[in-house]
Amino acid sequence: MDLIPQLIVDALLLGGIYTLMVIGLALSFGVTRVINFAHGEAVMLGAYGAFTVFVAFGVDPLIAMPVLMVAGCVLGMVLFKVAIAPVLKAPHVNQILLTFGIGLVLQNLALVIWSPDGRSVVPSYAYSSFEFGDVVVSGGRLIGFGIAAVLVLALFFWLKRTEFGRATRALAEQHDAAVLMGINVNQMYALAFGLSVALGVATGVILSFLGAITPFMGFHILVKGFAIIVLGGLGSIVGAVLGAFLLAFAETAVSYYVPNGTGWAEAVAFLTLFLVLVLRPRGIIGQAVAD
Amino acid sequence: MHRLSSGGILPILALATTLAATPALAQESIKIGVPMELSGRFVAYGASGKRGVEFATEVYGGKVAGKKIELLVRDIQSESQATISVFNELVSKEKVNYIIGPIGSPTVAAAIPAWRQGKPIWLVPGSSSTKLEEEVGGDPEFFHTFPYAYNYHESIAAALKNQLPAGQKVAMIYTDDNYGRTHQPYAKKYLTDAGFEVVLEEIVRTNAADMNPLLTKIARVKPDVLLGLVQTTDAVTLAKQIYTRKLPVPYLIGTAATQLDEWQKAVGTAQEGWVGVTTYLPGLNRPGNQEFPKLFPPSSEWEAMFVKKYGQEPDFEDAGCYVSAMLLFLAIERAGGDDKEKVAAELRKMDIPNTLLGRAKFVSTPSGTKQQAFTDMVVFQRENGKNVMLFPPGPETKKIKAVTY
């Protein structure tokens, strides 16, 4: 029983990181219906961006984050216009192959630029922690959780309260009606895709001081991310947030209470994914996907 | 009557000269396959391996037994399929008689079927996996120049026994991959034999983002020693999360990453107090070989030469592949040329004291490798950003220090 407070803290902090990892994926799929297999590489580039500004200019990753997010958003919009837009009406498999290919190109680019050596950013707060009785809270993870909360709330605010956000929701919910209302589809698609990349970059910035940065880190993030958005419901941002916390609690509980449980974390993710696909294919709050 | 103009005859002469010269040139060189992980996840090892072999070739003078040394360096991309393709090319197409590399346990394992097609002399300066020993240890063409997993844990257990009081408690973390699973039983055996009590063994998924639940479990059993059988990126995550949490375990040991510059840079201050085990460390001050002073100078001189050429300190695979290549060159020299059987016999007879890795002598292991060299390892501790020797006992050996936060 005395493990429960620590379990709750660990699961909440992990859930925050998972949320940040997947809301970008959920946004881009919800609006454009393109499953972005290069999203993990956006995270990877964000992490390397933070590493580079920290090492080269001594700039704290959290200070650099807004600039890196803007750069990621612009890069995402350009990528959408150049590579994704031409295949919007193509079969899903073509889109998957395209984004997968983009991911491979970005991985190799990172290999050339930063080498395959594992890197990490170590600002002072990365190694801070607080103790409340028997409960230990990592400062870096708490910061990650806080940033995830702020960004998720900002995204919801943008979607609900701004003209662009409402247009984005209209496109996601009723594409044809939105077009008839005069919404510039390509512009909104590019913006949603750019924002999803920016959120991936923010995730990378947080991960840069929590763990190791490598050119291949994106793949593992992507796999976990897909499990979460399927669990929450493809295309639903609220579902993605719920899925992130559900999975974080399930994994952490297994880690604590099952012998060798940390080794089972990924199995928990995929068992959950399997059960959701069999019992409730739309996920917790999912939309039906036609094809 | 047709007369050949100079414009017509010159290309013909050039072609004839080239055709005549090609076989002669081929005979003038000795081909050595160097399949290494030059990209992908093991590139840090493969890049060092390539550097070590090339440096050895340069120091040796570029020729052996009067013939040019031709290194066929190939990138196996740290992938099994690419490894198989490269070995097929080296063994079946290039028909090399000698191969040095690769380094990583999975890539070495992937190479075995293709190597068996021609069985060139194979020096393996990497792979601690005992599966390798089971597969090819008995082959007369296989020469292993890197310690096996059990050598690691024999050294760690001996070092801890030498440094700590008996009966101390050990917790172990190991990854669910080939590395962790291979090392875990040996770690347990040697530590238990040395009088330590293994109180916790926990598996962790590779690339796990959160090791905190594991660390909570470890803190509850209050071990004196934590042994991490995890590789580079997992070792970074583990060290960072231990330091953040200020885990109350006095002695931290990492088997795969502590000696790597990459790990040290990634974890920063969290490296302080970690204990590592390796075959070679800069600053060991090993003596040189008197018979071959140019090839095996004192380690400090060799390190200075290396730094001058590459602008960085050598790591354990730079030294391992340098020595492995030198042994092959010396064996070819002693065999009088490119005769595979004679070269293998010379390698088996070889007994050279004071190389960078210690005495070079191939012996059989109790577990089945017929030709094994270099099983001695050093155990060290990171102290103020430097390596401090803990084992084997000697004038430079210091007392182990508990980790403080």
Side-chain angles (χ1 to χ4, degrees), chain B residues 254-305:
Chain B
T255 50
T258 315
Q259 75 278 16
L260 296 176
D261 185 51
E262 173 188 345
W263 178 84
Q264 292 160 9
K265 280 184 181 155
V267 303
T269 50
Q271 68 183 273
E272 189 65 18
W274 273 82
V275 172
V277 57
T278 188
T279 49
Y280 178 84
L281 273 181
L284 270 178
N285 286 326
R286 281 185 164 150
N289 178 285
Q290 292 185 341
E291 191 183 352
F292 305 106
K294 188 185 158 204
L295 311 185
F296 302 117
S299 61
S300 55
E301 274 179 37
W302 183 80
E303 281 158 23
M305 282 159 56

Side-chain angles (χ1 to χ4, degrees), chain A residues 116 118 120 127 129 141 255 260, chain B residues 43 203 209 217 240 244 262 267:
Chain A
S120 193
Y127 285 147
S129 60
R141 281 176 178 265
S255 294
N260 283 323
Chain B
V43 68
I203 199 164
K217 282 184 180 178
K240 288 186 83 167
T244 302
E262 173 188 345
V267 303

